[in-house]
Amino acid sequence: MCSCGNLKFASRGMQGAGQESRYGRRRFLGDRRGVTAIEFAIVLPLFLMGVLGAIECGRALAAWNDSSRALGRAVRAINLDPNQTTDQVSALLKQYLVESGAKDVTVSVTPQTISGTDYMKIRASFPFSVTIPFATLSDFNIVVDTLAPVMSPTK
């Protein structure tokens, strides 16, 4: 019988070989060293996905909120000067969105008349990139729109 560290094994013959293998198997199955490291390796990616996913959700909500505020500023500009053209309103909204950090902004402004009242239908969209490790998500568009009344000072 030879011993090497904590392991014992039979060096010659088959005497006691079955007993030694049963004893070694019990010791191996009862050894709890390294369990914490394995549990950590399994849980860490899931934890990171959850935390970073929540951060990305917050970024998307902040971008949507900024674009909604920019749309509100454009509507106020229409209310202050109802003689603005659709091109002026579109350029103003694009400027507000670019100032807030949006890229590749698409803006459409369409005049409409509903029940004798003039409106401008304003719609803005831009792509938002999602970055979450260990997950494959595609980019999506953030879209804000409104129907803004065009009030003249005489009405």
Side-chain angles (χ1 to χ4, degrees), residues 3 7 12 18 29 38 52 80 83-84 104 125 131 133 149-150:
S3 100
L7 300 176
R12 291 185 186 235
L29 293 176
I38 292 172
L52 296 175
L80 292 174
N83 296 326
Q84 289 191 13
D104 299 329
S125 67
T131 308
V150 179

Side-chain angles (χ1 to χ4, degrees), residues 91-111:
L92 188 64
L93 183 55
K94 271 188 184 180
Q95 176 190 345
Y96 291 154
L97 287 170
V98 169
E99 285 174 3
S100 69
K103 295 177 183 146
D104 299 329
V105 178
T106 305
V107 176
S108 68
V109 180
T110 312

Side-chain angles (χ1 to χ4, degrees), residues 42-124:
I42 292 170
V43 171
L44 181 66
L46 300 174
F47 178 74
L48 284 177
M49 282 179 60
V51 168
L52 296 175
I55 291 170
E56 286 297 308
C57 186
R59 281 187 55 233
L61 286 173
W64 179 83
N65 191 30
D66 289 343
S67 62
S68 182
R69 261 189 275 144
L71 183 63
R73 288 175 66 188
V75 169
R76 280 192 290 284
I78 294 170
N79 290 335
L80 292 174
D81 183 12
N83 296 326
Q84 289 191 13
T85 65
T86 57
D87 291 334
Q88 289 172 329
V89 173
S90 177
L92 188 64
L93 183 55
K94 271 188 184 180
Q95 176 190 345
Y96 291 154
L97 287 170
V98 169
E99 285 174 3
S100 69
K103 295 177 183 146
D104 299 329
V105 178
T106 305
V107 176
S108 68
V109 180
T110 312
Q112 292 183 349
T113 302
I114 302 172
S115 300
T117 305
D118 293 330
Y119 291 92
M120 281 193 190
K121 182 168 178 60
I122 307 170
R123 180 182 180 95

